[in-house]
Amino acid sequence: MAVVREFTLPDLGEGLTEATVVRWLVEVGEVVAVDQPVVEVETAKALVDVPCPYGGVVTARFGDEGSELPVGSPLLTVAVGSTAPAGPGAGGDRTPEEGMGEAGTGTGPTTSDAASESGAGKPGGAAEGSGNVLVGYGTSAAAARRRRVRPAAGAGTAEPTRAQPPEEGPVPVISPLVRRLAREHDLDLREIRGSGPEGLILRTDVERAVRARSSASAGAGASGVTGATSVTGAPGAADTYGMTGAESRTLAYEGLPGEAERIPLRGMRGAAAEKFRRSRQEIPDATCWVDADATELLAARRKMNAVGGAKVSLLALLARICTAALARYPQLNATVDMAANEIVRLPAVHLGFAAQTDRGLVVPVVRDAHRRTAEGLTAEMARLTEAARTGQLGLAELTHGTFTLNNYGVFGVDGSTPIINHPEAAMLGVGRITAKPWVHEGELAVRQVVQLSLTFDHRVCDGGTAGGFLRFVADCVERPAVLLRTV
């Protein structure tokens, strides 16, 4: 007899609390194997193929493509022990609310009951599981959950009954974003009915409560700023979380014709926005600049690539210069531990480099860049860049950088004051290389000039250290032979 097992969105690591369904890789009624990828989701870090720890027939999918699901909400159900495609009454694409309602269309026992039945015939009662472990699921048995009520024969799908949060005890909330949103609007989470699995309160529930209170205040003729709208700054500008959907699209700024377009800050763009905000809020940064004659560096690269073998990229040469400069000025390869009120100097250089993609700005990280040659840096940067463009970067390739190299010269600009990639302590910016008049060996000549900028956390070092680092980088650009002293 087949046992229906429910697979929930696992914790994908790095503190991520939600993900957006990009593309389903299986259909209802399709047979799946253990560890087969079943859905492609987008987190705040990257695109991730999520493998299912169960093998059997897919009986239901939860969430449409483009919908956002919190960690722990149902993804799909699988009839374990069955190889026959599910019938018409087995389910289909459903929302998490429909899948968890008491009048849902479940096909059999799930969760704790299913786990006990599945493990009854195995030594020690161990349920069949997956060897492909993500954070929060894998080889262990499923956690106990409430059993879904099986509908009577011939009963259609009814409106799900949403669970009420408990009067006492912990509030059913997973996402810190939901708690922050409720706090910003002065809402009591105990008074909000959760629409997620087992009464879990989702962001949409809080937004619905905000809109309801806003409508009630407007209907009563209330004037001024209320907690539901959180209007700040420009007249008529509502808080991003204040209204969504059709209501947000009707909001227009006073004095401007037409309607304002509102674009949700989600996924990678939302994560980048939060990191920019946090960097500006926490880091007292400063920036210094210097112009450098890159003519000799370009000539050296041409000579390297003329001898045959793997080509060396200009970005890789700049990365090699960065690692040499950080060896001389290790104060900049650091981070600040706010909790301990300490500067933490890091032994290894994990070099991030900014890459612009169709999905937004990403910063792939070259591990142990200080141990790589120019050829090795070229190959690794090319691999990471291609993975970034195709959305195949893993979380490990996007996190734990210690210093960032930002080549904004590809956009045709000379200079910039970049925002430090929190929690790092510095970022080297490189502008475009262009022909300019330059005094060379006492005579005016046309040389290839680049502007370099260093934005640094003033807590980890003083201006003398930052200036010394930038001057060393400029010297290596102008006279690449300087690098030989550090080889």
Side-chain angles (χ1 to χ4, degrees):
M1 176 179 174
V3 176
V4 177
R5 306 293 296 273
E6 181 180 85
F7 174 43
T8 60
L9 178 65
D11 180 358
L12 298 173
E14 297 297 328
L16 302 174
T17 60
E18 53 200 6
T20 301
V21 177
V22 176
R23 180 168 59 98
W24 283 103
L25 305 178
V26 295
E27 300 291 339
V28 172
E30 184 175 337
V31 178
V32 297
V34 173
D35 291 340
Q36 176 180 335
V38 294
V39 63
E40 183 182 66
V41 300
E42 180 183 17
T43 69
K45 300 289 186 181
L47 285 175
V48 179
D49 286 342
V50 180
C52 180
Y54 309 124
V57 177
V58 177
T59 59
R61 302 187 314 192
F62 302 98
D64 298 325
E65 293 182 355
S67 61
E68 191 172 73
L69 302 178
V71 169
S73 62
L75 273 179
L76 49 76
T77 55
V78 178
V80 179
S82 172
T83 57
D93 289 346
R94 294 183 291 177
T95 64
E97 292 89 342
E98 293 171 334
M100 295 304 297
E102 293 181 358
T105 57
T107 59
T110 60
T111 60
S112 59
D113 294 328
S116 61
E117 293 179 24
S118 177
K122 297 181 182 294
E128 180 182 358
S130 163
N132 193 351
V133 181
L134 287 179
V135 180
Y137 80 100
T139 57
S140 61
R145 297 171 66 93
R146 290 187 301 181
R147 183 175 181 177
R148 183 181 303 146
V149 177
R150 195 169 187 171
T157 301
E159 181 67 21
T161 301
R162 295 177 179 173
Q164 291 281 0
E167 296 295 329
E168 297 181 357
V171 180
V173 176
I174 292 178
S175 172
L177 177 62
V178 172
R179 294 184 182 275
R180 186 182 71 183
L181 180 57
R183 186 170 58 251
E184 289 175 348
H185 294 285
D186 195 25
L187 292 174
D188 186 353
L189 286 170
R190 297 182 185 276
E191 299 177 356
I192 299 177
R193 174 180 296 179
S195 63
E198 300 189 15
L200 181 69
I201 299 176
L202 308 178
R203 184 170 66 182
T204 54
D205 300 324
V206 178
E207 292 173 342
R208 190 180 300 110
V210 170
R211 293 196 300 271
R213 189 168 69 177
S214 176
S215 299
S217 299
S223 60
V225 178
T226 68
T229 54
S230 262
V231 178
T232 59
D239 183 277
T240 301
Y241 299 109
M243 291 185 288
T244 60
E247 292 185 21
S248 68
R249 288 191 290 272
T250 61
L251 177 66
Y253 290 96
E254 292 182 5
L256 294 178
E259 297 179 349
E261 178 185 7
R262 300 180 71 87
I263 303 173
L265 284 173
R266 295 178 180 172
M268 294 178 60
R269 189 172 295 278
E274 173 60 21
K275 179 162 283 194
F276 296 153
R277 181 202 63 77
R278 188 174 181 185
S279 180
R280 278 289 190 232
Q281 186 176 45
E282 293 185 9
I283 299 177
D285 58 348
T287 303
C288 50
W289 297 268
V290 67
D291 288 340
D293 180 3
T295 306
E296 293 301 323
L297 180 65
L298 297 177
R301 176 174 175 258
R302 286 194 298 269
K303 292 177 181 178
M304 290 179 189
N305 293 335
V307 297
K311 302 294 184 181
V312 175
S313 70
L314 182 60
L315 188 62
L317 291 178
L318 293 170
R320 182 66 186 88
I321 292 173
C322 276
T323 59
L326 289 171
R328 178 168 293 199
Y329 297 95
Q331 300 95 322
L332 292 168
N333 195 56
T335 187
V336 175
D337 186 341
M338 296 287 290
N341 199 30
E342 295 176 340
I343 297 173
V344 183
R345 291 185 181 173
L346 304 169
V349 178
H350 301 318
L351 185 67
F353 63 99
Q356 191 69 36
T357 71
D358 293 339
R359 299 170 57 242
L361 178 68
V362 296
V363 183
V365 177
V366 178
R367 301 289 174 193
D368 297 316
H370 59 295
R371 298 183 180 181
R372 298 178 185 265
T373 64
E375 287 186 354
L377 288 168
T378 298
E380 182 65 1
M381 286 179 156
R383 184 188 71 81
L384 291 171
T385 299
E386 180 60 26
R389 288 173 179 167
T390 57
Q392 299 302 313
L393 284 174
L395 291 176
E397 297 168 322
L398 287 165
T399 53
H400 305 303
T402 64
F403 187 93
T404 296
L405 173 62
N406 188 358
N407 179 23
Y408 45 75
V410 296
F411 302 119
V413 297
D414 294 325
S416 174
T417 55
I419 300 175
I420 294 176
N421 188 20
H422 184 279
E424 298 171 11
M427 176 184 291
L428 178 68
V430 181
R432 63 173 179 168
I433 300 177
T434 185
K436 290 184 179 180
W438 189 267
V439 176
H440 176 66
E441 296 180 351
E443 295 183 357
L444 188 63
V446 176
R447 307 285 287 182
Q448 299 298 316
V449 179
V450 62
Q451 184 181 96
L452 306 171
S453 65
L454 177 70
T455 299
F456 64 98
D457 186 339
H458 227 315
R459 296 173 297 179
V460 304
C461 70
D462 296 327
T465 299
F469 176 94
L470 189 59
R471 187 63 257 171
F472 178 81
V473 171
D475 289 344
C476 290
V477 169
E478 293 184 339
R479 298 186 300 278
V482 173
L483 271 178
L484 295 176
R485 295 173 60 90
T486 64
V487 174

